[in-house]
Amino acid sequence: MKYFVAFLVFFFLAILTVSALPYTKVLGVSPDVVLVLVACWAMVRNREEALPVILMAGYLRDLSTSDPLGVSALALSPIVLLTVLREVRIVQSDFLPVLFVVASGTMFYFVISSGVLAITGEEVPWLDALGRRLAPALLLNMLITPIFYLPLRWLTSEISSPGPRARSVLGIR
């Protein structure tokens, strides 16, 4: 059931990404809602759930854009490796590692997808894209992370333990 819900959510977000979000630019870039939700899902749920969700979201995204099929799935796949931060407790908050995964995922996505497009013969202005697209995309994706993280964290905690909880929604111990 969770994968069916994930399919519907990512289908909606993929359509939103190509229909409405190009008209809502902040700092010259549109938010990458698919990447942010994938990163939040991978960090809130577990690594075993992350890979099928990443593949599903990546293929749905590619089907709704003009990118070659599989580029988004490939570019989102490093997020699975970054979920190791969930087990490594460097800080007491669960939210700071999510921000790091969103930022790292944004960088990996940019480099991998641009690299694949360059290999297929597309012109990729690397230096211009680094300054004008990557830096604002990093900031914007990190700013919209709470919009996806907080409800997902709340839903996950409600499903797993319906009783009263002592921890806050942000996961501060």
Short mmCIF file of all heavy atoms in Angstrom, two decimals, residues 48-88:
data_model
loop_
_atom_site.label_atom_id
_atom_site.label_comp_id
_atom_site.label_asym_id
_atom_site.label_seq_id
_atom_site.Cartn_x
_atom_site.Cartn_y
_atom_site.Cartn_z
N GLU A 48 15.93 0.25 2.84
CA GLU A 48 15.29 -0.77 2.01
C GLU A 48 14.11 -0.18 1.22
O GLU A 48 13.81 -0.63 0.13
CB GLU A 48 14.82 -1.95 2.85
CG GLU A 48 15.94 -2.80 3.41
CD GLU A 48 16.63 -2.15 4.60
OE1 GLU A 48 16.00 -1.35 5.33
OE2 GLU A 48 17.84 -2.42 4.79
N GLU A 49 13.45 0.81 1.78
CA GLU A 49 12.35 1.47 1.09
C GLU A 49 12.86 2.55 0.14
O GLU A 49 12.16 2.91 -0.80
CB GLU A 49 11.41 2.14 2.10
CG GLU A 49 10.28 1.29 2.52
CD GLU A 49 9.31 2.06 3.37
OE1 GLU A 49 8.97 3.20 3.03
OE2 GLU A 49 8.90 1.50 4.39
N ALA A 50 14.03 3.05 0.38
CA ALA A 50 14.53 4.18 -0.41
C ALA A 50 14.78 3.81 -1.87
O ALA A 50 14.41 4.57 -2.77
CB ALA A 50 15.81 4.73 0.22
N LEU A 51 15.39 2.67 -2.12
CA LEU A 51 15.75 2.33 -3.50
C LEU A 51 14.52 2.15 -4.40
O LEU A 51 14.48 2.74 -5.48
CB LEU A 51 16.64 1.09 -3.54
CG LEU A 51 17.18 0.74 -4.92
CD1 LEU A 51 17.99 1.90 -5.49
CD2 LEU A 51 18.03 -0.51 -4.85
N PRO A 52 13.49 1.39 -4.00
CA PRO A 52 12.31 1.30 -4.88
C PRO A 52 11.63 2.65 -5.10
O PRO A 52 11.17 2.95 -6.21
CB PRO A 52 11.37 0.33 -4.16
CG PRO A 52 12.20 -0.39 -3.19
CD PRO A 52 13.36 0.47 -2.87
N VAL A 53 11.60 3.47 -4.07
CA VAL A 53 10.97 4.79 -4.20
C VAL A 53 11.79 5.69 -5.12
O VAL A 53 11.24 6.42 -5.94
CB VAL A 53 10.76 5.42 -2.80
CG1 VAL A 53 10.38 6.88 -2.91
CG2 VAL A 53 9.71 4.64 -2.04
N ILE A 54 13.11 5.61 -5.02
CA ILE A 54 13.98 6.41 -5.89
C ILE A 54 13.81 5.99 -7.34
O ILE A 54 13.70 6.83 -8.24
CB ILE A 54 15.44 6.31 -5.44
CG1 ILE A 54 15.65 7.17 -4.19
CG2 ILE A 54 16.41 6.71 -6.54
CD1 ILE A 54 16.99 7.00 -3.53
N LEU A 55 13.78 4.69 -7.59
CA LEU A 55 13.60 4.21 -8.96
C LEU A 55 12.25 4.65 -9.51
O LEU A 55 12.15 5.12 -10.65
CB LEU A 55 13.75 2.70 -9.01
CG LEU A 55 15.16 2.16 -8.73
CD1 LEU A 55 15.14 0.64 -8.68
CD2 LEU A 55 16.14 2.66 -9.76
N MET A 56 11.21 4.50 -8.70
CA MET A 56 9.86 4.89 -9.13
C MET A 56 9.81 6.39 -9.42
O MET A 56 9.32 6.82 -10.48
CB MET A 56 8.85 4.54 -8.03
CG MET A 56 7.44 4.88 -8.33
SD MET A 56 6.31 4.64 -6.93
CE MET A 56 7.07 3.43 -5.91
N ALA A 57 10.30 7.19 -8.51
CA ALA A 57 10.26 8.65 -8.68
C ALA A 57 11.11 9.08 -9.87
O ALA A 57 10.70 9.96 -10.64
CB ALA A 57 10.75 9.34 -7.41
N GLY A 58 12.27 8.47 -10.05
CA GLY A 58 13.14 8.82 -11.16
C GLY A 58 12.51 8.52 -12.51
O GLY A 58 12.55 9.34 -13.43
N TYR A 59 11.92 7.34 -12.63
CA TYR A 59 11.29 6.99 -13.91
C TYR A 59 10.05 7.83 -14.18
O TYR A 59 9.82 8.24 -15.31
CB TYR A 59 10.97 5.50 -13.96
CG TYR A 59 12.20 4.65 -14.15
CD1 TYR A 59 12.54 3.67 -13.24
CD2 TYR A 59 13.04 4.86 -15.25
CE1 TYR A 59 13.69 2.91 -13.41
CE2 TYR A 59 14.18 4.10 -15.41
CZ TYR A 59 14.49 3.13 -14.50
OH TYR A 59 15.63 2.38 -14.66
N LEU A 60 9.26 8.11 -13.15
CA LEU A 60 8.10 8.98 -13.35
C LEU A 60 8.53 10.38 -13.76
O LEU A 60 7.91 11.01 -14.62
CB LEU A 60 7.26 9.04 -12.07
CG LEU A 60 6.41 7.81 -11.78
CD1 LEU A 60 5.81 7.89 -10.39
CD2 LEU A 60 5.32 7.65 -12.83
N ARG A 61 9.60 10.85 -13.17
CA ARG A 61 10.11 12.18 -13.55
C ARG A 61 10.59 12.19 -15.00
O ARG A 61 10.30 13.12 -15.76
CB ARG A 61 11.23 12.57 -12.61
CG ARG A 61 11.78 13.92 -12.92
CD ARG A 61 12.95 14.22 -12.03
NE ARG A 61 13.43 15.54 -12.32
CZ ARG A 61 13.86 16.37 -11.42
NH1 ARG A 61 13.87 16.03 -10.16
NH2 ARG A 61 14.29 17.55 -11.77
N ASP A 62 11.32 11.15 -15.41
CA ASP A 62 11.83 11.09 -16.77
C ASP A 62 10.70 10.95 -17.79
O ASP A 62 10.80 11.47 -18.89
CB ASP A 62 12.82 9.94 -16.93
CG ASP A 62 14.14 10.24 -16.27
OD1 ASP A 62 14.42 11.42 -16.00
OD2 ASP A 62 14.89 9.28 -16.01
N LEU A 63 9.65 10.24 -17.42
CA LEU A 63 8.52 10.08 -18.33
C LEU A 63 7.78 11.40 -18.55
O LEU A 63 7.12 11.58 -19.56
CB LEU A 63 7.55 9.02 -17.82
CG LEU A 63 8.05 7.58 -17.93
CD1 LEU A 63 7.10 6.63 -17.22
CD2 LEU A 63 8.24 7.17 -19.39
N SER A 64 7.88 12.30 -17.59
CA SER A 64 7.19 13.58 -17.71
C SER A 64 8.07 14.70 -18.28
O SER A 64 7.59 15.79 -18.53
CB SER A 64 6.62 14.01 -16.36
OG SER A 64 7.67 14.24 -15.44
N THR A 65 9.36 14.43 -18.46
CA THR A 65 10.26 15.44 -19.03
C THR A 65 10.86 14.91 -20.33
O THR A 65 10.55 13.80 -20.75
CB THR A 65 11.41 15.78 -18.05
OG1 THR A 65 12.20 14.61 -17.85
CG2 THR A 65 10.88 16.29 -16.73
N SER A 66 11.74 15.67 -20.91
CA SER A 66 12.39 15.24 -22.14
C SER A 66 13.74 14.57 -21.89
O SER A 66 14.47 14.28 -22.84
CB SER A 66 12.58 16.44 -23.07
OG SER A 66 13.42 17.39 -22.46
N ASP A 67 14.07 14.33 -20.64
CA ASP A 67 15.34 13.66 -20.33
C ASP A 67 15.29 12.20 -20.75
O ASP A 67 14.22 11.59 -20.77
CB ASP A 67 15.63 13.73 -18.82
CG ASP A 67 15.95 15.13 -18.36
OD1 ASP A 67 16.26 15.98 -19.21
OD2 ASP A 67 15.88 15.38 -17.14
N PRO A 68 16.43 11.62 -21.07
CA PRO A 68 16.46 10.18 -21.41
C PRO A 68 15.98 9.35 -20.22
O PRO A 68 16.24 9.68 -19.06
CB PRO A 68 17.94 9.90 -21.70
CG PRO A 68 18.53 11.23 -22.01
CD PRO A 68 17.74 12.24 -21.24
N LEU A 69 15.25 8.29 -20.51
CA LEU A 69 14.69 7.44 -19.46
C LEU A 69 15.79 6.81 -18.62
O LEU A 69 16.71 6.20 -19.15
CB LEU A 69 13.81 6.35 -20.08
CG LEU A 69 12.96 5.54 -19.12
CD1 LEU A 69 11.97 6.45 -18.40
CD2 LEU A 69 12.22 4.45 -19.84
N GLY A 70 15.72 6.99 -17.34
CA GLY A 70 16.69 6.43 -16.41
C GLY A 70 17.68 7.43 -15.87
O GLY A 70 18.37 7.14 -14.88
N VAL A 71 17.77 8.61 -16.45
CA VAL A 71 18.74 9.61 -15.98
C VAL A 71 18.40 10.05 -14.56
O VAL A 71 19.28 10.11 -13.69
CB VAL A 71 18.79 10.82 -16.94
CG1 VAL A 71 19.60 11.96 -16.33
CG2 VAL A 71 19.37 10.42 -18.27
N SER A 72 17.14 10.33 -14.31
CA SER A 72 16.76 10.79 -12.97
C SER A 72 16.95 9.69 -11.93
O SER A 72 17.39 9.95 -10.81
CB SER A 72 15.31 11.28 -12.96
OG SER A 72 15.19 12.45 -13.71
N ALA A 73 16.61 8.46 -12.28
CA ALA A 73 16.80 7.35 -11.35
C ALA A 73 18.29 7.19 -11.02
O ALA A 73 18.65 6.98 -9.86
CB ALA A 73 16.23 6.06 -11.93
N LEU A 74 19.12 7.31 -12.03
CA LEU A 74 20.57 7.23 -11.82
C LEU A 74 21.06 8.40 -10.98
O LEU A 74 21.87 8.23 -10.05
CB LEU A 74 21.29 7.19 -13.16
CG LEU A 74 22.81 7.11 -13.12
CD1 LEU A 74 23.25 5.78 -12.54
CD2 LEU A 74 23.38 7.29 -14.52
N ALA A 75 20.57 9.59 -11.26
CA ALA A 75 21.03 10.79 -10.55
C ALA A 75 20.52 10.83 -9.12
O ALA A 75 21.16 11.44 -8.25
CB ALA A 75 20.61 12.04 -11.31
N LEU A 76 19.38 10.21 -8.84
CA LEU A 76 18.84 10.18 -7.48
C LEU A 76 19.43 9.05 -6.63
O LEU A 76 19.31 9.07 -5.41
CB LEU A 76 17.31 10.04 -7.51
CG LEU A 76 16.51 11.23 -8.01
CD1 LEU A 76 15.05 10.84 -8.21
CD2 LEU A 76 16.62 12.40 -7.07
N SER A 77 20.06 8.08 -7.26
CA SER A 77 20.53 6.89 -6.53
C SER A 77 21.56 7.16 -5.44
O SER A 77 21.60 6.42 -4.45
CB SER A 77 21.03 5.84 -7.51
OG SER A 77 22.11 6.33 -8.25
N PRO A 78 22.43 8.19 -5.52
CA PRO A 78 23.35 8.42 -4.40
C PRO A 78 22.64 8.73 -3.07
O PRO A 78 23.24 8.59 -2.01
CB PRO A 78 24.19 9.61 -4.85
CG PRO A 78 24.16 9.55 -6.33
CD PRO A 78 22.80 9.03 -6.67
N ILE A 79 21.38 9.10 -3.13
CA ILE A 79 20.63 9.37 -1.90
C ILE A 79 20.56 8.11 -1.04
O ILE A 79 20.60 8.19 0.19
CB ILE A 79 19.24 9.94 -2.22
CG1 ILE A 79 19.39 11.34 -2.81
CG2 ILE A 79 18.34 9.96 -0.99
CD1 ILE A 79 18.11 11.97 -3.29
N VAL A 80 20.49 6.94 -1.67
CA VAL A 80 20.47 5.69 -0.91
C VAL A 80 21.75 5.55 -0.08
O VAL A 80 21.70 5.17 1.09
CB VAL A 80 20.29 4.47 -1.84
CG1 VAL A 80 20.41 3.17 -1.07
CG2 VAL A 80 18.97 4.54 -2.57
N LEU A 81 22.87 5.89 -0.68
CA LEU A 81 24.14 5.80 0.06
C LEU A 81 24.22 6.84 1.17
O LEU A 81 24.83 6.60 2.21
CB LEU A 81 25.32 5.98 -0.90
CG LEU A 81 25.42 4.95 -2.02
CD1 LEU A 81 26.54 5.33 -2.98
CD2 LEU A 81 25.63 3.57 -1.44
N LEU A 82 23.59 7.99 0.95
CA LEU A 82 23.64 9.05 1.95
C LEU A 82 22.76 8.75 3.17
O LEU A 82 22.90 9.39 4.20
CB LEU A 82 23.22 10.38 1.33
CG LEU A 82 24.18 10.95 0.29
CD1 LEU A 82 23.55 12.13 -0.43
CD2 LEU A 82 25.48 11.35 0.95
N THR A 83 21.87 7.77 3.06
CA THR A 83 21.01 7.45 4.21
C THR A 83 21.79 6.83 5.36
O THR A 83 21.23 6.65 6.43
CB THR A 83 19.86 6.50 3.80
OG1 THR A 83 20.41 5.30 3.25
CG2 THR A 83 18.94 7.17 2.81
N VAL A 84 23.04 6.52 5.15
CA VAL A 84 23.87 6.03 6.24
C VAL A 84 23.96 7.07 7.36
O VAL A 84 24.19 6.73 8.52
CB VAL A 84 25.26 5.59 5.73
CG1 VAL A 84 26.13 6.79 5.42
CG2 VAL A 84 25.94 4.70 6.74
N LEU A 85 23.74 8.33 7.02
CA LEU A 85 23.76 9.40 8.03
C LEU A 85 22.65 9.21 9.06
O LEU A 85 22.73 9.76 10.15
CB LEU A 85 23.61 10.76 7.36
CG LEU A 85 24.78 11.20 6.51
CD1 LEU A 85 24.45 12.49 5.79
CD2 LEU A 85 26.01 11.37 7.37
N ARG A 86 21.64 8.46 8.69
CA ARG A 86 20.55 8.19 9.64
C ARG A 86 21.04 7.34 10.81
O ARG A 86 20.62 7.54 11.95
CB ARG A 86 19.42 7.47 8.90
CG ARG A 86 18.22 7.23 9.72
CD ARG A 86 17.14 6.64 8.85
NE ARG A 86 15.94 6.49 9.63
CZ ARG A 86 15.12 5.48 9.53
NH1 ARG A 86 15.36 4.53 8.67
NH2 ARG A 86 14.05 5.41 10.28
N GLU A 87 21.92 6.39 10.51
CA GLU A 87 22.45 5.52 11.56
C GLU A 87 23.59 6.17 12.34
O GLU A 87 23.78 5.91 13.51
CB GLU A 87 22.92 4.19 10.97
CG GLU A 87 21.80 3.27 10.55
CD GLU A 87 21.28 3.55 9.14
OE1 GLU A 87 22.09 3.97 8.29
OE2 GLU A 87 20.07 3.39 8.92
N VAL A 88 24.38 7.00 11.66
CA VAL A 88 25.49 7.69 12.31
C VAL A 88 24.92 8.92 13.02
O VAL A 88 24.43 9.83 12.39
CB VAL A 88 26.57 8.11 11.28
CG1 VAL A 88 27.69 8.86 11.96
CG2 VAL A 88 27.07 6.92 10.53
#
